[in-house]
Amino acid sequence: MMRRDRFLLAAALSALFSADFYFILLPKLQNRRNTAGNICSCSPNSNLSLPRLEALATPQLSNWTLTPLPSDASALELDDRGSKLQKLFSHPLYNIQTLELKPEERLLQMEQLIEYYRRKVSHWERRKKLYDEATALANMSFMEQKMTYDPNASWLKFHLGINRYALYSRDDPAILQLLTDMQNMTIVGADYTQDEKALKGACDCSQVVKPSGHHLKLALKMHNFGKAMFKPMRQQRDEETPEDFFYFVDFQRHNAEIAAFHLDRILDFRRVPPVVGRRVNVTGEILQVAHNEDLRAVFFTSPASNRCFFAKCLYVCKTEYAVCGSPDLLEGSLSAYLPGLTIAPRLSIPNPWKRSYSFSGRQEWEVNPFYCDSVKQTYPYNSGNRLLNIIDMSIFDFLIGNMDRHHYEIFTKFGDEGLLLHLDNARGFGKHSHDEMSILAPLSQCCMIKRSTLLRLQLLARSDFRLSDVMRESLEQDHLRPVLTEPHLSALDRRLQKVLRVVQRCIRRLGQDEVITKDFIKPTVTPQTATEMKKKR
């Protein structure tokens, strides 16, 4: 009996040793043999080793699946003379795949969106019939615009791609098509935006912050029922915001809207709706298609024979506040509209780090360095991803120099864990010579940052992915190029280094584990190959 027990014990030990050798020791020996003569690894993951910036420890990717690079990986290794932007978007950090989205993680479903589209078409047809009857009775005639029902319209595809994480996917071809469409499609209608209409021409001039005025904007309708917000050019690109201007009376810049979209895409936030530059004919593409008498009434011809128009709010209803074409052409930005509030309601929430919009007085965060401790205990910032998204937004605003983020918006469908919308960025890129460090208060006071955000910032600090270079290349795709002057592009690199230094100080004080936080992204159980991804599509 004793011999049998010893035999069983010996057999068990032999099995354990064999398993250890086969599954642990043998793979290590094989790996060492394979890499002995290959000092420089060419594996797809090798370029995830980002440079350590001074004392900043490089975090490792955790809960993501990287899409394998093509077998001809050498094709992606571009030299300095190649496209840095293409090289950036080919990097594994920009090819991270999450689990397939569930229906509840998408903002809209196809059937829901098509029904919404059909209602828009029916509404247009009813209004057109009434308008035709009215013009016939008045013995008047207007240029008739042809509308087209297109279930494959790029703006529909953009709306269909919105989900709880981003407004569009990294490789969505509908976004590039939408930019092209906004730039070239026929404009069939022009009107004030809803927020300007809500003013009804009444402004309280006792307020420091006026609800309308210099930021004149119009809603333009395309022939396939798509809509875009037009912000006209008010300031030359090389003009800096005057030193005596408060942030809340600064100009709205059309080129800042365009540049903000490109930067948001390069940072991989994808929270700014698509924006493109366009030159419009003030007479032919706005006045002649405007049926709103309030809007038509503000057009006039200047002494220089240029066609001009101005804002609705009473305190700037003067010709000196107008924008003018040359003589009819006027450049501006076109921002794609988000789905209507009836189908995709949004909530506007005060920014915890909003500024004081008065000539005196300061907010608590401006005087209390421990302000974030109280924010962390307040709903909805005491759990989930909301505070991290606020910090992402502050980094974005710091890079563009936007001090005017008093509110942010979310889609109500996604609740507390949805994306924050980075809307209305026209007050960015006003001063290239000044870096407003107070914009980074959420980062410096909370000392938290997403791992993915930090990795991308580190990547864009490298010479082969320099932020100013990829921004310059990206902005060259817009017809209003150059969108930014060189001093503004250089300021991006300088500000990026300052963001990283703030993170460094936080890590030295609190440690890497406290500062660098995992993203709110579900882990993928098994790696997905490129073939499997194509099959799913």
Side-chain angles (χ1 to χ4, degrees):
M1 190 70 178
M2 184 65 74
R3 290 180 179 178
R4 183 182 178 185
D5 291 341
R6 290 178 179 176
F7 175 76
L8 291 174
L9 179 61
L13 291 174
S14 299
L16 287 172
F17 176 78
S18 300
D20 285 345
F21 178 78
Y22 186 79
F23 290 106
I24 299 176
L25 295 177
L26 185 59
K28 287 185 177 180
L29 291 173
Q30 290 176 338
N31 184 62
R32 180 172 297 181
R33 182 188 63 186
N34 292 337
T35 59
N38 185 14
I39 298 175
C40 179
S41 173
C42 294
S43 64
N45 292 340
S46 62
N47 54 354
L48 283 177
S49 179
L50 301 179
R52 295 179 182 272
L53 301 176
E54 298 178 14
L56 179 58
T58 303
Q60 299 298 315
L61 290 173
S62 58
N63 49 350
W64 290 320
T65 295
L66 298 178
T67 302
L69 295 178
S71 56
D72 186 15
S74 60
L76 299 177
E77 294 299 324
L78 306 177
D79 58 24
D80 289 338
R81 295 169 296 174
S83 168
K84 288 189 177 183
L85 188 65
Q86 180 184 344
K87 184 179 178 182
L88 179 74
F89 289 149
S90 298
H91 193 281
L93 280 176
Y94 289 80
N95 289 274
I96 298 168
Q97 300 295 335
T98 61
L99 286 176
E100 188 172 347
L101 293 172
K102 297 179 181 178
E104 63 270 18
E105 293 180 309
R106 295 187 179 276
L107 182 64
L108 299 169
Q109 303 303 313
M110 175 64 80
E111 300 79 8
Q112 181 187 15
L113 190 56
I114 292 298
E115 178 60 28
Y116 172 70
Y117 193 1
R118 287 173 178 164
R119 290 200 303 269
K120 288 173 71 73
V121 174
S122 299
H123 180 67
W124 168 268
E125 291 175 345
R126 288 195 301 271
R127 288 189 60 184
K128 183 178 183 301
K129 182 179 179 181
L130 293 172
Y131 192 77
D132 289 344
E133 293 174 354
T135 54
L137 289 173
N139 196 24
M140 299 171 62
S141 62
F142 286 95
M143 183 172 58
E144 185 175 349
Q145 299 292 344
K146 184 179 180 181
M147 300 292 288
T148 305
Y149 171 73
D150 181 10
N152 293 313
S154 57
W155 68 267
L156 271 176
K157 293 180 179 179
F158 163 54
H159 289 179
L160 194 62
I162 299 174
N163 59 72
R164 70 181 301 182
Y165 303 111
L167 288 177
Y168 54 90
S169 62
R170 296 180 180 93
D171 55 351
D172 188 355
I175 301 304
L176 294 179
Q177 185 59 50
L178 178 58
L179 295 175
T180 301
D181 290 345
M182 288 194 296
Q183 199 160 52
N184 301 310
M185 290 177 68
T186 303
I187 299 171
V188 299
D191 201 352
Y192 285 117
T193 57
Q194 288 301 318
D195 56 343
E196 298 241 354
K197 283 183 176 181
L199 296 171
K200 299 186 184 299
C203 298
D204 181 3
C205 292
S206 66
Q207 297 179 8
V208 173
V209 183
K210 308 299 190 299
S212 180
H214 290 300
H215 58 288
L216 171 59
K217 51 188 183 290
L218 299 176
L220 304 184
K221 182 176 290 185
M222 310 299 173
H223 70 77
N224 64 357
F225 293 91
K227 288 178 66 178
M229 181 183 294
F230 177 71
K231 291 188 177 182
M233 176 179 180
R234 278 195 173 276
Q235 190 175 0
Q236 296 297 323
R237 288 162 175 72
D238 58 354
E239 289 184 62
E240 279 205 308
T241 300
E243 290 293 332
D244 291 329
F245 269 35
F246 289 92
Y247 49 85
F248 45 76
V249 295
D250 192 7
F251 288 112
Q252 297 264 328
R253 286 167 284 274
H254 71 298
N255 61 316
E257 290 282 11
I258 301 168
F261 163 68
H262 285 260
L263 178 63
D264 175 80
R265 178 168 166 259
I266 286 171
L267 294 174
D268 203 36
F269 290 155
R270 291 169 284 132
R271 299 164 200 167
V272 175
V275 184
V276 70
R278 174 167 172 166
R279 292 181 177 89
V280 301
N281 187 300
V282 177
T283 302
E285 295 181 296
I286 298 181
L287 177 59
Q288 290 183 0
V289 297
H291 296 161
N292 185 319
E293 289 303 320
D294 287 340
L295 176 57
R296 296 178 64 87
V298 299
F299 280 81
F300 65 96
T301 301
S302 75
S305 299
N306 294 325
R307 181 72 77 172
C308 310
F309 63 102
F310 48 85
K312 183 178 181 181
C313 187
L314 292 179
Y315 82 98
V316 289
C317 274
K318 301 176 183 178
T319 55
E320 57 262 39
Y321 293 110
V323 292
C324 299
S326 178
D328 284 286
L329 285 182
L330 174 64
E331 73 173 57
S333 64
L334 282 179
S335 306
Y337 261 68
L338 294 171
L341 297 177
T342 57
I343 191 174
R346 303 193 302 270
L347 188 63
S348 180
I349 302 173
N351 184 356
W353 280 268
K354 69 178 180 179
R355 298 177 182 275
S356 175
Y357 281 74
S358 66
F359 293 126
S360 61
R362 304 181 72 183
Q363 295 289 332
E364 183 182 351
W365 67 267
E366 297 178 278
V367 296
N368 179 9
F370 303 104
Y371 172 75
C372 187
D373 292 341
S374 61
V375 174
K376 289 179 180 179
Q377 299 174 13
T378 306
Y379 173 83
Y381 308 105
N382 54 356
S383 64
N385 220 39
R386 180 71 64 85
L387 184 55
L388 288 168
N389 286 337
I390 291 283
I391 292 170
D392 277 351
M393 185 172 66
S394 72
I395 294 172
F396 172 73
D397 283 337
F398 175 72
L399 291 174
I400 69 175
N402 178 26
M403 300 173 64
D404 192 36
R405 189 73 67 186
H406 45 81
H407 284 74
Y408 62 86
E409 293 190 26
I410 62 171
F411 291 109
T412 56
K413 177 178 179 178
F414 301 134
D416 295 336
E417 293 303 335
L419 76 156
L420 306 190
L421 298 171
H422 296 174
L423 306 178
D424 196 7
N425 304 295
R427 281 186 170 146
F429 297 104
K431 293 183 179 180
H432 57 72
S433 56
H434 175 68
D435 304 333
E436 183 55 54
M437 295 302 296
S438 64
I439 302 175
L440 279 180
L443 173 63
S444 60
Q445 292 182 356
C446 298
C447 273
M448 296 169 58
I449 189 171
K450 291 180 184 177
R451 175 179 280 106
S452 63
T453 299
L454 179 57
L455 283 170
R456 287 192 294 270
L457 294 177
Q458 287 180 309
L459 190 68
L460 291 166
R462 286 170 43 169
S463 60
D464 47 342
F465 297 101
R466 186 177 289 112
L467 179 56
S468 60
D469 291 340
V470 293
M471 269 291 286
R472 183 185 300 103
E473 183 180 343
S474 184
L475 292 172
E476 277 295 310
Q477 301 168 14
D478 195 274
H479 282 191
L480 297 186
R481 58 185 178 271
V483 176
L484 292 179
T485 61
E486 284 301 316
H488 279 297
L489 292 170
S490 299
L492 288 173
D493 294 329
R494 183 181 69 241
R495 291 167 185 165
L496 175 57
Q497 292 296 331
K498 292 185 177 182
V499 173
L500 293 174
R501 282 198 286 271
V502 171
V503 177
Q504 291 169 3
R505 288 195 293 269
C506 287
I507 290 178
R508 291 192 190 102
R509 183 161 60 89
L510 300 175
Q512 178 175 313
D513 293 339
E514 288 292 323
V515 176
I516 304 172
T517 308
K518 293 181 181 178
D519 287 37
F520 185 76
I521 298 180
K522 298 177 181 178
T524 302
V525 178
T526 55
Q528 295 171 304
T529 64
T531 304
E532 289 172 341
M533 293 299 296
K534 288 180 180 178
K535 287 181 179 178
K536 285 189 176 182
R537 292 175 184 173

